[in-house]
Amino acid sequence: MSGAPYDPAARRDTPLALKLKERIAREGPIPVAGYMQACLQDPEYGYYVKQPAIGAKGGFVTAPEISQVFGELIGLWCVAVWQQMGSPNPFNLVEFGPGRGTLMRDALRAMRVRPEILSCLRVILIETSTTLRETQKAALAGSGVPVSWIGKLDSAEDPKLPAIVLANEFIDSQPIQQFVRTAEGWAVRTVGLDPYGALVFMAGPYCAEYVARDLEQRFPSAAPGDVCEVHSLEHEFVDALLNQPSKAAALLIDYGHPATQPGDTLQAIRAHRHEHPLTSPGEADLTAQVDFAQVAGGLSGAHTAIDGPITQAEFLGRLGIIERASKLMSANPARAAEIEAGVARLIAPTGMGSRFKVIGVRSSGLNTLPGF
Ligand code: SAH
């Protein structure tokens, strides 16, 4: 939860703030999902369109940027899953939102323990940002495997191949819908203008009856004033996992909570600091905690099963993170302290190790995925 207080004096008239204010004056308040979409993906001013966004120089640091061990363990996980699928050749290794390409680079390096897998796979990166695509291209230049970039999975050359799908900190960057439980009923939470023309959260139009019924079922404990969140996963993402004629397995890692509960989790981070989500539209990273119960519900179907959620610490522990780190430290004594600190951060019981959760999605013909 952001907890960042809304300090009106801190509100910044970023170019996107001005664009949104004009739009709101013309069309009325925008639902929170539309606001989040604009902040992240506006073609002129969106955060992922304009900024380097990730890594020490960007606004926030992700697990693969903290330690190479993260991507390496996921690479070994891919090898085990591929074998579990019967070693298909060819198959697609898909990553949603690959950021700087670090996870994929480290994973492919670790996969060299079974060189034969490298001649069977085609890497498909699903990325909207043209800047980040360039960074990914540079990161994977020496990988020796075919890599292609697409905006949507259904535009892949052969989307029907068996697939292993990875997504780290991707779902938290997808727009969420917010609703407010008022004394009179459920309303869409929107962003409008206050009497001074500044952006402000509002309880917008009341929901249609079927939406209100659905919300009542999802959030039976919601009290008047509570904000509740619903993930609107892109259909391409859901399709990639559910409508696979061949075998597929996915690993989704994100920060979030295991059970559905009311709460406003929208948060903004700019230059490593939390701020209120309305402070710097387009210049801060906006994310929402992942409700793993909702996501698992949305991804389980007649042909899929879900493993987890479990915590990142449990998952990485079962994949042997301690053993892997020790080996790496003995091989690189000069970097031992750095390696140890990175790994400790990934599995910290009061930090990333418990805040981040992992679920696996698999074709129902496959056994429980490794690590779960
Ligand atoms: N997985 C990376 C980066 C996470 S940040 C890491 O762990 O470091 C989110 C990533 O998803 C960015 O690369 C962003 O450009 C991309 N992204 C966000 N929304 C997207 C969408 N709808 N389709 C494709 N890529 C998207």
Side-chain angles (χ1 to χ4, degrees):
M1 240 148 277
S2 83
Y6 192 28
D7 171 8
R11 287 180 281 204
R12 300 167 64 242
D13 268 333
T14 60
L16 183 60
L18 297 173
K19 185 172 172 178
L20 290 172
K21 285 183 190 183
E22 204 201 333
R23 178 171 152 199
I24 294 167
R26 217 175 40 238
E27 299 170 8
I30 308 170
V32 165
Y35 175 76
M36 201 171 163
Q37 175 73 23
C39 286
L40 297 175
Q41 305 285 355
D42 179 86
E44 283 175 291
Y45 306 120
Y47 181 73
Y48 283 121
V49 177
K50 285 202 53 137
Q51 315 276 325
I54 301 150
K57 286 204 205 88
F60 61 103
V61 184
T62 57
E65 306 296 334
I66 290 172
S67 172
Q68 70 185 79
V69 176
F70 186 79
E72 289 171 356
L73 286 173
I74 291 178
L76 300 176
W77 182 88
C78 291
V79 172
V81 171
W82 175 68
Q83 288 171 331
Q84 196 174 319
M85 287 176 163
S87 309
N89 180 18
F91 76 99
N92 289 334
L93 178 57
V94 180
E95 187 179 359
F96 280 85
R100 300 175 55 81
T102 309
L103 190 162
M104 188 56 79
R105 185 197 63 201
D106 293 341
L108 290 170
R109 189 179 56 247
M111 286 180 186
R112 290 190 199 143
V113 293
R114 294 302 297 257
E116 60 277 27
I117 191 177
L118 295 172
S119 55
C120 301
L121 62 81
R122 305 160 176 197
V123 172
I124 298 180
L125 301 179
I126 302 184
E127 175 58 66
T128 40
S129 156
T130 45
T131 322
L132 285 173
R133 282 187 187 199
E134 289 308 314
T135 312
Q136 292 155 13
K137 202 168 281 175
L140 299 178
S143 66
V145 298
V147 183
S148 56
W149 281 262
I150 52 178
K152 304 245 175 236
L153 192 65
D154 51 18
S155 58
E157 217 174 275
D158 200 347
K160 307 287 180 225
L161 288 180
I164 298 180
V165 179
L166 306 173
N168 182 58
E169 289 209 48
F170 173 76
I171 302 176
D172 69 6
S173 69
Q174 300 307 296
I176 43 146
Q177 295 173 275
Q178 286 192 331
F179 299 93
V180 189
R181 178 80 173 89
T182 73
E184 288 76 36
W186 289 92
V188 179
R189 195 177 194 219
T190 55
V191 176
L193 299 176
D194 72 8
Y196 306 98
L199 296 176
V200 66
F201 283 119
M202 307 173 80
Y206 285 107
C207 300
E209 211 180 303
Y210 74 96
V211 177
R213 257 202 312 274
D214 175 57
L215 291 167
E216 206 61 53
Q217 266 172 13
R218 284 176 194 263
F219 304 99
S221 68
D226 279 352
V227 171
C228 296
E229 299 179 335
V230 174
H231 288 281
S232 34
L233 294 177
E234 273 186 67
H235 73 88
E236 63 174 88
F237 181 70
V238 177
D239 279 359
L241 302 172
L242 291 189
N243 297 336
Q244 274 284 346
S246 324
K247 286 181 184 154
L251 187 63
L252 313 180
I253 307 175
D254 233 303
Y255 83 108
H257 42 276
T260 298
Q261 61 201 35
D264 168 17
T265 75
L266 193 62
Q267 70 164 26
I269 295 185
R270 183 164 61 98
H272 303 281
R273 284 168 175 248
H274 281 275
E275 60 177 32
H276 188 278
L278 298 179
T279 303
S280 317
E283 294 179 9
D285 181 41
L286 276 196
T287 58
Q289 274 190 34
V290 174
D291 174 335
F292 280 93
Q294 269 189 43
V295 170
L299 293 176
S300 50
H303 308 293
T304 52
I306 307 284
D307 296 322
I310 58 174
T311 65
Q312 174 165 296
E314 281 175 287
F315 180 72
L316 296 177
R318 290 184 197 160
L319 296 187
I321 190 167
I322 302 295
E323 297 78 357
R324 180 111 195 143
S326 314
K327 261 194 220 158
L328 194 63
M329 284 158 69
S330 351
N332 305 274
R335 288 183 50 219
E338 171 215 329
I339 295 164
E340 189 174 20
V343 165
R345 197 166 157 196
L346 292 182
I347 58 174
T350 54
M352 287 184 92
S354 65
R355 267 195 303 122
F356 279 73
K357 316 274 187 308
V358 187
I359 59 172
V361 186
R362 60 184 155 90
S363 311
S364 38
L366 293 173
N367 289 331
T368 305
L369 297 170
F372 291 94

